Amino acid sequence: MKYRYYPGCSLEGSAREYDISTRAVMAALGVELLELEGWTCCGASAADFASRLLSLILPARNLALAEAAGEPWTLMVPCSACYLNLRRVTETIRSKPGTKELLNEALAVDGLQMSGTVSVRHLLDILSRDIGASAVRAIVRKPLSGLRIAPYYGCQCLRPYPVFDDSEAPTSMEPIIEATGASVFRWHMAGACCGASHINTHHDAALVMIGAILEDAAGADAIVTVCPMCQLNLEAFQHRVRTEGARRIDIPVLYLPQLIGLAAGLSPKQLGLELNLSKPLAVV
Amino acid sequence: MQPAITTESALASIQEKMAACMQCGVCTGSCPNAFAMDLTPRQLWRLVLAGRTEDVFRSHTFFLCSQCFRCTLRCPRGLQPTEAMSELKHLAYRSGWFERSESVVFYRYFLESVRRHGRVHELELMSRYFTAMRNPVLPFRFASLGIRLIGRGKLAIMPSAEGCRDLGALFRKVDEMEKRL
């Protein structure tokens, strides 16, 4: 299996361990990742603010690069916000006539053009549907028995495009978690919103939302995420949220590939575990 | 006041999007940010449809949409309230009324970083955001996070040379096209 790989800005910075562990685990699974050369920012939620057109053109630039690069035609995206923005381009081209021409007029400035042949897929989509839990189980060397893992999906890998999972009651991570030997911690906040960039612009509101998620995870050994924004919010502000009875929250927040990698016997260094801000998982 | 908002047609495309709203309140009940909003989403849509532009933009409700898309998937009328919220943010951004708003300033520097480097440079973004907001408390919320990230080598001091692409020409082209459209 081969995929074109779009890491996105966070995976070069505050979410470096997501990039490191994704590459390591994909290699262990025998999946080849070809990084998209010359990729640029997807626009995050900023482009939407400033210009509706720019919010399509910034991700479209990357789809044009992916087309020019040729096979493989599937773009794997680990960041949920990048995934949404890139996916929105292909969905808009399909639903709004004239969009492609508009995008190509702008992209011509950079000598690029796109026709919409690249398929945009989230890392979790590929892990759960292409690779599958049995292939994950096949690389497990150190089963994570006894650990209760809370799967946290957040929003944008599920909504507004419910492509690979149920947008209200997601389950796609569960077979993967079970394949590592751990058990799934049942909770209510799996698909809740962490507030995303509210942490920068509406700090106090974000802390309330993060607090509600973390409180619901009480009893789990770790939270596992598939989005750099969710992960940073849940791990970096743990000690800042107000909890009932002023209880101090201290829970490891890992990326899903880090969990798989641990079960596969990869070293903490290979999974970038020393880069996480939350406390280490008990087995490490 | 900028013409973008004061003209009657400013809300027109949003009104069109939300015209079938029956005020059931599923959007409000689904919204994880409703607790922090001055108006609930349902109330906001009523004001939008009534053309009460000033009341709409006196509220901060649309800035508090975190794009979770719950309301969009649950709306029994099949409307797209998240899209409509984005359009309101966009109008606000363009209006010049919200130059001191944290959202407007943050996203402006975010895009500035993308325009210059092709990718977001987190450290540059945050320092310019803090400087522009001139709120002495703001940096302290992030000081400990910044120190921990730098300690782990996760915040590059300089943008990566390898990934650097000047998107100035593309941004100018988009500007020019927006004026025409």
Side-chain angles (χ1 to χ4, degrees), chain A residues 127-175:
Chain A
L127 266 173
S128 63
R129 295 199 300 173
D130 292 11
I131 296 167
S134 53
V136 171
R137 193 172 300 111
I139 63 162
V140 169
R141 302 283 171 273
K142 294 180 177 168
L144 305 174
S145 326
L147 289 180
R148 289 151 304 169
I149 306 296
Y152 181 67
Y153 303 81
C155 303
Q156 298 185 339
C157 71
L158 303 171
R159 299 180 294 268
Y161 307 119
V163 175
F164 59 93
D165 207 337
D166 188 297
S167 69
E168 295 279 350
T171 54
S172 53
M173 269 197 251
E174 296 182 7

Side-chain angles (χ1 to χ4, degrees), chain A residues 2-284:
Chain A
K2 254 190 209 179
Y3 297 95
R4 189 69 58 192
Y5 177 58
Y6 177 87
C9 303
S10 296
L11 276 77
E12 283 201 315
S14 54
R16 260 184 42 216
E17 66 270 36
Y18 195 12
D19 181 56
I20 293 168
S21 57
T22 297
R23 291 176 195 266
V25 164
M26 287 299 158
L29 287 163
V31 175
E32 197 181 335
L33 297 185
L34 301 159
E35 182 170 340
L36 179 65
E37 232 176 279
W39 63 267
T40 44
C41 175
C42 73
S45 35
D48 217 25
F49 244 86
S51 150
R52 309 315 305 281
L53 190 56
L54 192 63
S55 74
L56 289 173
I57 283 169
L58 287 176
R61 184 183 188 280
N62 295 290
L63 294 180
L65 288 174
E67 271 182 35
E71 268 190 272
W73 301 109
T74 302
L75 190 64
M76 178 198 280
V77 188
C79 167
S80 298
C82 298
Y83 164 73
L84 167 63
N85 283 336
L86 291 158
R87 180 120 204 156
R88 175 154 44 203
V89 176
T90 56
E91 302 278 346
T92 311
I93 284 179
R94 208 167 302 153
S95 63
K96 253 199 198 149
T99 304
K100 203 195 307 182
E101 292 69 24
L102 217 54
L103 298 180
N104 280 331
E105 185 193 334
L107 291 173
V109 170
D110 276 359
L112 291 166
Q113 62 159 334
M114 63 166 301
S115 56
T117 47
V118 170
S119 146
V120 176
R121 297 181 61 196
H122 194 276
L123 166 74
L124 178 56
D125 180 7
I126 287 168
L127 266 173
S128 63
R129 295 199 300 173
D130 292 11
I131 296 167
S134 53
V136 171
R137 193 172 300 111
I139 63 162
V140 169
R141 302 283 171 273
K142 294 180 177 168
L144 305 174
S145 326
L147 289 180
R148 289 151 304 169
I149 306 296
Y152 181 67
Y153 303 81
C155 303
Q156 298 185 339
C157 71
L158 303 171
R159 299 180 294 268
Y161 307 119
V163 175
F164 59 93
D165 207 337
D166 188 297
S167 69
E168 295 279 350
T171 54
S172 53
M173 269 197 251
E174 296 182 7
I176 301 171
I177 290 171
E178 283 162 355
T180 67
S183 63
V184 175
F185 178 80
R186 307 276 160 200
W187 62 327
H188 300 289
M189 302 302 270
C193 179
C194 72
S197 58
H198 279 3
I199 199 70
N200 299 312
T201 55
H202 299 90
H203 197 70
D204 295 335
L207 289 183
V208 172
M209 297 159 84
I210 294 165
I213 295 165
L214 291 171
E215 290 228 71
D216 194 40
D221 295 301
I223 299 174
V224 164
T225 78
V226 287
C227 170
M229 191 81 229
C230 299
Q231 202 272 352
L232 187 64
N233 275 347
L234 292 185
E235 80 167 5
F237 298 93
Q238 283 188 10
H239 303 146
R240 206 67 76 72
V241 299
R242 281 206 191 94
T243 52
E244 243 182 69
R247 196 170 53 85
R248 187 182 161 89
I249 293 177
D250 220 358
I251 184 168
V253 185
L254 301 178
Y255 290 103
L256 182 61
Q258 291 185 305
L259 187 82
I260 299 172
L262 279 174
L266 300 182
S267 71
K269 180 108 190 136
Q270 283 173 294
L271 299 169
L273 279 165
E274 77 283 6
L275 297 174
N276 288 55
L277 304 178
S278 49
K279 80 166 184 188
L281 191 62
V283 292
V284 180

